[in-house]
Amino acid sequence: MGRIPVIEVGPIVEGGRWPTKAVAGEVIPVRATVFREGHDAVAATAVLVGPDGTDHSHVRMVDVSPGNDRYEAWVQPDAVGNWSFRVEGWSDPYGTWSHDAVLKVHADVDTELMLDEGALVLERAAAAPAMTAAHRQVLGDAVLGLRDVARPPVARLAAGISPEVRAVLAEVPLRDAVSPSAAYPLTVHRPRALYGSWYEFFPRSEGAHQDPNTGEWISGTLRTAAERLPGIAEMGFDVVYLTPIHPIGTTNRKGRNNTLGTEPGDPGSPYGIGAADGGHDAIHADLGTFDDFDAFVARARALGLEVALDLALQASPDHPWVTEHPEWFTTRADGTIAYAENPPKKYQDIYPLNFDNDPAGIYTAIRDVLGVWIDHGVTLFRVDNPHTKPLPFWERILADVAADHPDVIFLSEAFTRPAMMRTLATVGFHQSYTYFTWRHTKDELAEYFTEVAGDSAAVMRPSFWPTTHDILTPYMQQGGAAAFAIRAVLAATGSPTWGIYSGYELAEHVARPGAEEQIDNEKYEYKPRDWERAREQYGLTALLTALNRIRRDHPALQQLRNIRIHPTSDDATLCYSKRVRAEHSPTGREDVVIVVVNLDPFTTRDSLLHLDLAALGLDGQDAFAAHDELSGETYSWGANPFVRLDPWGRPAHIIHVRPA
């Protein structure tokens, strides 16, 4: 315990056992409880330590809970690497003196003594090496004022507590009994680990067609899939995510709509990985070769897109691993290998790996697989069902990949219990799918947005997806194109990372009876789409393009921990804001965005908003210019503006706050 106690420091993970996460340019809150005995003033500083071990920045902390000694500051690492932070508590001689002097001088108690003590405190402060000549001039003038016996005591006191003096000592404080906390680890990744727009598609569907003579389907290839990349880039996406592109087994191959029987030409699920011609380190012959894949990656990069690949650690019965390493799987009492199940769901076309049988062998094989794809330009992996594999495996392999390839990012697709989702993030996953997909009401969304931006943000970076190739919620099934527009706005503005599944532009909303997934699911068949019709039919292509543009233009939407919920009078109208102060903004200008969304896909909704102007940086202002980034219109808003949102034409406002 230091002379000035510093306790309850955060954000830390399991007492510092694992590092807190950030990305370069992210603004992070550091909090601590700082106090002392007696009545003397205390203060605190958050210190950010760079990867080289030197102090990067010192930020004076603010008492955010008066009476509870809870202090907070926002820090901002600016480079990738292994950082740390600490909190320094300290005694504040100037704060103690100024508090006591105001009381005593006005009561004429020990007046001369208090003024003389103030002069001594300021002389000490002026002698600090960090003081500039301008700082010393301000403090020197204050000392002269405090000692000018020709002036009234109150005027002399005013010289010692002037705004100019307080500003100098806020910038370069006089600190006694400095008491540092322990240093806590902070891992800083590249910005894509926090901020990005993902577009998922099945490459075999792009260019797939039926032979006009035989009626048989012919698969699209990586070359034809590359023809879709300009359209994806034009919509402003950053990442193109490919479902598995490996050989697909034939044993127990699933047919259309997940049936157990196949028809001639059924391509099977790409998640049934492995056949005689290879496994996870091979490319399906229908798609092409590694030269074709390299060309795909090169085309993507030329368009400003990174390539993400699905990593599904399972094997079809025909995978080479099954014959070469049968010990990597679970053998049942009847001698058969156990296929994957999630009762009542059955996945007869895949065998899960048993990591307990030969953990070293399995680890080496998977590490080699990752190396193949990283060497061919994959920079992100979407990991299928990581919660069904041991956590020590993930902790080890993610650390090993990070050591050799720190730019490679892993997205966890774990729709499971909160403890598992959080721990996967803790041990190394950069991003996580979330429960956003199933949060629909105003209260659910407000609570969830606040949760993912709160303490969990120290380890778990959310990725918001309205739908996936596996998930089509009742809200999306029933709400039509309006639901797709509403959820796109929420996903794109509620989280720095969001994604859509191909076909979103066409509002594909028809479910397989009794299931929360699309009918004629693309996992089991080819699904070429008419992208020209997509541009014209629902306006969703234009909306997606606008959302990605707005996200690029506004640094506030690229941050996670800065969301604020604002009350509304309507139970289906959600309002929230994001703000980045000028000192933290890459533009050097403050950025404030307000998002207002009608959550009802069937009805126009009216609402009064009750904006917290102080949270928007507008404290003391009666009005401000509210520029709608979606419509281009500008309104004059105050603390309680009225909004009317039509789910078919104008489901949301995305407001850029411009001071009047």
Side-chain angles (χ1 to χ4, degrees):
M1 184 68 70
R3 180 64 183 82
I4 306 298
V6 178
I7 62 173
E8 298 173 322
V9 177
I12 61 175
V13 183
E14 295 287 334
R17 180 180 178 186
W18 289 285
T20 297
K21 290 180 185 173
V23 302
E26 185 177 6
V27 188
I28 310 156
V30 174
R31 302 183 179 97
T33 299
V34 182
F35 61 99
R36 67 169 298 168
E37 82 292 346
H39 302 289
D40 285 1
V42 296
T45 301
V47 182
L48 192 57
V49 182
D52 63 356
T54 62
D55 290 356
H56 170 273
S57 53
H58 297 72
V59 183
R60 177 81 175 260
M61 302 179 80
V62 176
D63 187 350
V64 293
S65 182
N68 292 314
D69 305 309
R70 193 67 178 156
Y71 287 79
E72 177 183 88
W74 292 77
V75 300
Q76 189 174 32
D78 57 9
V80 171
N82 294 319
W83 295 59
S84 64
F85 67 92
R86 67 180 184 273
V87 172
E88 295 176 344
W90 41 277
S91 180
D92 181 4
Y94 178 75
T96 299
W97 170 80
S98 61
H99 173 271
D100 293 350
V102 168
L103 296 176
K104 288 189 174 184
V105 170
H106 284 285
D108 196 19
V109 176
D110 298 332
T111 298
E112 286 299 325
L113 177 61
M114 293 306 300
L115 296 174
D116 189 47
E117 287 182 345
L120 293 173
V121 167
L122 294 184
E123 286 176 337
R124 280 185 60 206
M131 287 291 177
T132 66
H135 290 154
R136 291 192 176 96
Q137 182 67 50
V138 170
L139 298 184
D141 291 346
V143 169
L144 292 175
L146 284 165
R147 288 183 169 151
D148 186 356
V149 294
R151 302 171 67 192
V154 172
R156 294 162 63 190
L157 172 66
I161 61 173
S162 70
E164 294 79 9
V165 169
R166 292 187 182 277
V168 168
L169 290 174
E171 186 176 345
V172 187
L174 178 61
R175 307 194 307 163
D176 287 346
V178 176
S179 304
S181 71
Y184 295 100
L186 174 70
T187 294
V188 180
H189 300 121
R190 66 186 179 103
R192 183 66 69 230
L194 175 69
Y195 165 70
S197 304
W198 289 49
Y199 188 96
E200 173 197 356
F201 78 112
F202 287 65
R204 70 186 185 187
S205 287
E206 292 299 322
H209 60 281
Q210 286 182 292
D211 185 299
N213 297 318
T214 66
E216 292 184 1
W217 277 98
I218 298 174
S219 174
T221 68
L222 288 166
R223 296 282 180 174
T224 59
E227 296 175 11
R228 176 64 183 143
L229 294 175
I232 296 170
E234 285 173 9
M235 288 187 286
F237 287 93
D238 308 302
V239 177
V240 56
Y241 147 45
L242 306 180
T243 52
I245 59 174
H246 317 299
I248 299 171
T250 56
T251 301
N252 296 333
R253 174 178 286 190
K254 293 294 185 75
R256 294 184 61 180
N257 287 310
N258 200 26
T259 57
L260 294 176
T262 59
E263 299 293 331
D266 283 350
S269 168
Y271 291 90
I273 297 170
D277 50 347
H280 289 74
D281 55 357
I283 295 175
H284 197 297
D286 288 352
L287 293 173
T289 66
F290 272 100
D291 286 343
D292 298 320
F293 184 78
D294 292 341
F296 180 93
V297 172
R299 180 65 172 141
R301 287 182 174 176
L303 292 165
L305 292 162
E306 295 189 55
V307 175
L309 184 63
D310 220 316
L311 180 67
L313 298 183
Q314 58 215 20
S316 90
D318 306 315
H319 197 295
W321 286 348
V322 176
T323 53
E324 295 171 6
H325 296 283
E327 71 278 10
W328 290 2
F329 305 93
T330 298
T331 302
R332 306 190 70 176
D334 61 2
T336 61
I337 294 178
Y339 56 74
E341 294 186 76
N342 182 18
K345 293 182 179 180
K346 295 184 178 183
Y347 305 94
Q348 297 92 334
D349 56 338
I350 56 175
Y351 293 157
L353 293 166
N354 186 329
F355 285 78
D356 294 325
N357 287 353
D358 179 15
I362 293 174
Y363 175 87
T364 299
I366 294 170
R367 182 65 182 85
D368 289 345
V369 164
L370 289 169
V372 166
W373 297 108
I374 293 170
D375 288 345
H376 282 276
V378 172
T379 54
L380 307 98
F381 291 93
R382 178 266 196 190
V383 181
D384 189 67
N385 289 326
H387 55 290
T388 61
K389 288 78 180 174
L391 285 163
F393 163 77
W394 289 123
E395 185 173 25
R396 179 187 174 193
I397 204 163
L398 293 173
D400 285 356
V401 172
D404 295 335
H405 306 282
D407 285 350
V408 173
I409 291 167
F410 289 83
L411 167 63
S412 165
E413 190 253 358
F415 296 111
T416 185
R417 299 183 303 278
M420 175 59 82
M421 292 174 69
R422 180 182 173 90
T423 306
L424 285 164
T426 298
V427 302
F429 276 93
H430 300 79
Q431 300 175 353
S432 305
Y433 280 80
T434 64
Y435 295 127
F436 162 77
T437 314
W438 294 276
R439 301 292 188 264
H440 296 108
T441 70
K442 172 182 167 180
D443 290 343
E444 287 173 344
L445 287 163
E447 180 181 9
Y448 198 62
F449 283 10
T450 303
E451 176 186 330
V452 297
D455 292 343
S456 70
V459 292
M460 187 171 167
R461 301 190 186 105
S463 184
F464 283 2
W465 291 69
T467 66
T468 73
H469 63 262
D470 288 317
I471 301 168
L472 186 69
T473 61
Y475 180 94
M476 304 300 282
Q477 296 173 29
Q478 299 160 11
F484 280 69
I486 290 165
R487 297 298 290 184
V489 172
L490 291 168
T493 60
S495 171
T497 290
W498 79 302
I500 65 160
Y501 161 49
S502 179
Y504 200 92
E505 306 94 311
L506 289 159
E508 294 176 349
H509 66 280
V510 180
R512 180 161 56 88
E516 284 193 16
E517 65 177 39
Q518 289 184 11
I519 197 167
D520 302 328
N521 195 296
E522 195 171 2
K523 284 189 296 184
Y524 311 107
E525 60 184 271
Y526 303 110
K527 185 172 273 190
R529 296 177 173 90
D530 184 344
W531 297 119
E532 285 304 314
R533 182 169 68 88
R535 285 180 176 275
E536 301 166 0
Q537 186 163 2
Y538 296 116
L540 288 170
T541 299
L543 175 63
L544 298 174
T545 305
L547 290 172
N548 284 327
R549 171 188 58 79
I550 293 166
R551 285 162 50 85
R552 285 194 308 272
D553 291 346
H554 288 283
L557 296 176
Q558 300 169 24
Q559 296 282 334
L560 171 60
R561 310 177 203 228
N562 59 341
I563 200 163
R564 177 68 64 92
I565 306 297
H566 300 264
T568 68
S569 63
D570 175 55
D571 61 6
T573 302
L574 178 67
C575 179
Y576 51 94
S577 66
K578 291 196 164 192
R579 176 188 180 193
V580 170
R581 298 175 186 270
E583 61 266 29
H584 296 138
S585 174
T587 66
R589 300 185 302 273
E590 181 164 88
D591 186 43
V592 184
V593 175
I594 303 169
V595 183
V596 190
V597 188
N598 174 3
L599 305 176
D600 183 347
F602 306 108
T603 310
T604 297
R605 307 294 295 220
D606 297 342
S607 182
L608 282 176
L609 313 181
H610 303 293
L611 301 176
D612 181 345
L613 295 183
L616 300 173
L618 299 170
D619 200 12
Q621 292 189 216
D622 295 327
F624 63 92
H627 178 74
D628 192 334
E629 294 279 20
L630 286 174
S631 70
E633 298 170 306
T634 301
Y635 317 103
S636 179
W637 278 14
N640 303 109
F642 170 83
V643 298
R644 171 171 290 166
L645 294 173
D646 166 7
W648 307 282
R650 179 177 293 178
H653 292 302
I654 302 179
I655 298 295
H656 178 207
V657 173
R658 298 176 176 176

